[in-house]
Amino acid sequence: MNSRTQVGIVGAGPAGLLLSHLLHRAGIDSVVLESRSRDDVEGTIRAGVLEQGTVDLLKATGVGERLQQEGFRHEGIYLRFDGEDHRIDFPALTNGKAVTVYAQHEVIKDLVKARIDSGSDIRFQVSSVTVHDVQSEQPSIRYRDESGTSHEISCDFVAGCDGTQGVCRPSIPAGVLTAYEKIYPFGWFGILCEAPPSSDELIYALHDRGFALVSTRSPTVQRMYCQVGPADRVDNWSDEVDPADRADNWSDDRIWEEFRLRLATADGWVPKEGRIFHKVIVGMRSFVTEPMQFGRLFLAGDAAHVVPPTGAKGLNLAVADVRLLGEALIEQYRTGRNETLDAYSATALKRIWKAQRFSWWMTSMLHRFPGGDAFQYRVQLAELEYVTGSTVAAAALAENYVGLPFQ
Ligand code: FAD
Ligand code: DHB
């Protein structure tokens, strides 16, 4: 079965859905193809921290209503080391900016609802997606629907928003892209639990036993992470690993004991415990592919780059990419001029590399490295002392955490 659209979008994550939304607002038609079901897409637990610019964009484009009601504005974070908290005050250091804690799957629900309410075309549970003729003026995407029927969509442009495991990036011929990658020798063990918040703001902790992070989701659900590995590593290190085969290593008692140890303070702080109902191990890597374009195929979000989660940047980078790509496509349709679209990759990569630097730096400062010696650990503590003791150093952290300006 053949059909046509202006922009064919592969992937209904934050990148693909938001791009479709931005294009729709400018009267540009798109089709979003997603391999998973709507329930799966809306139920996957991932990020939680939205930069100021991400929040402003979602609000300004009419998908920020629930975010405004249910999200939590956080005006700082605590860096905890040597058993003491040091607060980074975002508004004071960034001219009034802050972040909002609102789960990624809630953003996804808001975007899917907006797309469906406006009658747009999202096709879930598709398979065998392939992209064709992206170097011509008339690219196409082929796929099978849930019943196995083959389809072909011809379009003007293809947006590869299909994450780390997608098909768009691998469809680009060998030799076109350059990949830059760094794999960290540890991961994060993440939990969700039923408990009241342990802290009014996120706590990023460095302890002799490794990193720990206290985050939140709601007054009754909390999100916490701790550094694991390399013993807990799996050989096939993907970005999200089901920890079921290592559940024995991580009983609930062991998880709480580890959090209590790593988060201990001189005045006896302990996390509020509750039933753990979700566990995940997340791999840690930095990855960038250049350029983010091949002919009329444009990559955005995790399909083009991955950050370790310590800087809370992945979702926000996906948003920044499609904001730029959306504007460039809109300009192309309105004026017929390609300059902004041709500059998409170079423009996006400038900000992406800065977010990569920040994520790598936060990761390096806050984790114990296997084989890392006492000297390295003392330098990390000195860096934390410096960052929390110097207004300019604290401002550099704050400015990056709340999000650098869009281009
Ligand atoms: P994805 O969300 O991966 O979406 C891609 C979509 O494409 C998926 O729905 C997938 O099913 C679909 N797809 C894949 N292949 C195909 C195919 N062949 N055909 C059709 N569809 C396909 N980021 C932050 O900014 N802040 C945080 O606090 C944060 N915390 C995180 C915590 C965890 C535990 C994890 C795992 C990630 C975290 N991130 C965070 C990163 C963030 O979740 C990702 O960067 C973000 O999801 C990227 O969005 P995306 O749309 O590019 O890709
Ligand atoms: C969360 C995730 C992060 O990667 C981070 O740096 C802070 C918070 C979260 O899931 O809440």
Side-chain angles (χ1 to χ4, degrees):
M1 300 226 289
N2 294 338
S3 56
R4 218 203 106 67
T5 189
Q6 288 175 294
V7 182
I9 300 175
V10 187
L17 290 168
L18 182 60
L19 179 63
S20 171
H21 175 66
L22 297 174
L23 294 174
H24 169 79
R25 285 171 51 84
I28 298 166
D29 193 43
S30 65
V31 173
V32 179
L33 298 175
E34 167 59 50
S35 52
R36 295 183 297 155
S37 69
R38 179 174 176 183
D39 279 354
D40 266 7
V41 169
E42 292 185 344
T44 305
I45 309 293
R46 294 183 99 190
V49 177
L50 307 184
E51 292 176 357
Q52 179 79 58
T54 300
V55 171
D56 293 345
L57 179 67
L58 294 173
K59 281 194 209 163
T61 61
V63 281
E65 200 178 316
R66 221 160 53 86
L67 157 67
Q68 245 167 307
Q69 285 159 7
E70 296 173 25
F72 298 94
R73 180 178 156 92
H74 281 217
E75 299 202 333
I77 53 169
Y78 296 105
L79 294 176
R80 182 174 289 180
F81 55 96
D82 276 344
E84 266 183 42
D85 278 338
H86 305 257
R87 183 166 186 268
I88 306 285
D89 181 335
F90 296 149
L93 294 163
T94 63
N95 217 357
K97 292 186 185 150
V99 295
T100 297
V101 177
Y102 185 68
Q104 174 167 335
H105 65 279
E106 303 296 347
V107 175
I108 297 270
K109 282 186 209 165
D110 297 341
L111 287 168
V112 169
K113 182 172 182 311
R115 303 308 317 111
I116 288 176
D117 286 353
S118 67
S120 94
D121 197 344
I122 311 183
R123 304 182 191 172
F124 291 101
Q125 289 182 289
V126 305
S127 58
S128 310
V129 175
T130 49
V131 294
H132 303 269
D133 304 323
V134 294
Q135 285 191 289
S136 77
E137 302 249 302
Q138 199 58 257
S140 66
I141 310 177
R142 294 186 198 140
Y143 71 96
R144 285 183 200 282
D145 67 21
E146 220 183 322
S147 70
T149 308
S150 298
H151 296 257
E152 176 158 354
I153 307 177
S154 35
C155 37
D156 302 326
F157 301 98
V158 177
C161 302
D162 48 353
T164 53
Q165 310 299 316
V167 294
C168 290
R169 180 166 41 81
S171 77
I172 297 173
V176 173
L177 302 180
T178 306
Y180 301 87
E181 185 170 37
K182 178 175 178 57
I183 300 198
Y184 300 87
F186 41 72
W188 280 11
F189 194 108
I191 62 158
L192 285 171
C193 68
E194 286 167 0
S198 292
S199 170
D200 54 343
E201 289 174 346
L202 271 58
I203 304 169
Y204 287 81
L206 173 63
H207 185 272
D208 190 31
R209 299 177 65 85
F211 170 77
L213 169 59
V214 177
S215 182
T216 184
R217 283 294 178 270
S218 75
T220 54
V221 173
Q222 308 314 316
R223 181 70 155 149
M224 297 174 71
Y225 300 94
C226 68
Q227 172 185 354
V228 292
D232 303 278
R233 272 189 67 166
V234 284
D235 293 335
N236 181 13
W237 197 231
S238 71
D239 289 315
E240 268 173 89
V241 180
D242 187 297
D245 56 340
R246 287 175 309 288
D248 292 348
N249 295 351
W250 285 96
S251 67
D252 291 9
D253 284 349
R254 181 177 165 209
I255 292 170
W256 288 120
E257 174 66 5
E258 201 58 50
F259 279 125
R260 277 194 300 270
L261 288 169
R262 294 188 192 188
L263 290 159
T265 60
D267 52 8
W269 190 96
V270 283
K272 297 212 168 69
E273 298 183 19
R275 187 178 74 86
I276 297 173
F277 62 93
H278 171 84
K279 299 178 186 175
V280 67
I281 291 187
V282 191
M284 303 273 279
R285 67 188 173 114
S286 303
F287 173 81
V288 181
T289 190
E290 294 185 355
M292 293 162 63
Q293 175 190 4
F294 178 60
R296 287 181 166 232
L297 168 63
F298 294 87
L299 302 177
D302 278 15
H305 44 75
V306 178
V307 283
T310 327
K313 287 282 161 262
L315 162 62
N316 293 296
L317 277 179
V319 167
D321 284 358
V322 297
R323 180 185 169 278
L324 196 64
L325 180 57
E327 276 176 8
L329 287 166
I330 292 165
E331 182 179 312
Q332 210 283 339
Y333 278 110
R334 287 204 176 137
T335 66
R337 292 173 51 178
N338 289 328
E339 287 87 350
T340 312
L341 199 51
D342 289 344
Y344 161 70
S345 173
T347 313
L349 281 163
K350 281 201 195 310
R351 192 174 182 280
I352 289 161
W353 274 110
K354 289 183 188 136
Q356 287 287 350
R357 184 209 66 84
F358 177 68
S359 304
W360 161 84
W361 172 70
M362 287 283 280
T363 304
S364 309
M365 180 169 68
L366 286 163
H367 291 75
R368 289 289 271 153
F369 283 74
D373 54 18
F375 180 85
Q376 184 179 359
Y377 189 47
R378 302 301 301 175
V379 169
Q380 285 174 262
L381 291 171
E383 182 145 32
L384 282 161
E385 289 273 0
Y386 174 60
V387 163
T388 53
S390 148
T391 309
V392 285
L397 189 154
E399 179 181 40
N400 282 275
Y401 196 92
V402 301
L404 294 175
F406 293 132
Q407 291 80 1

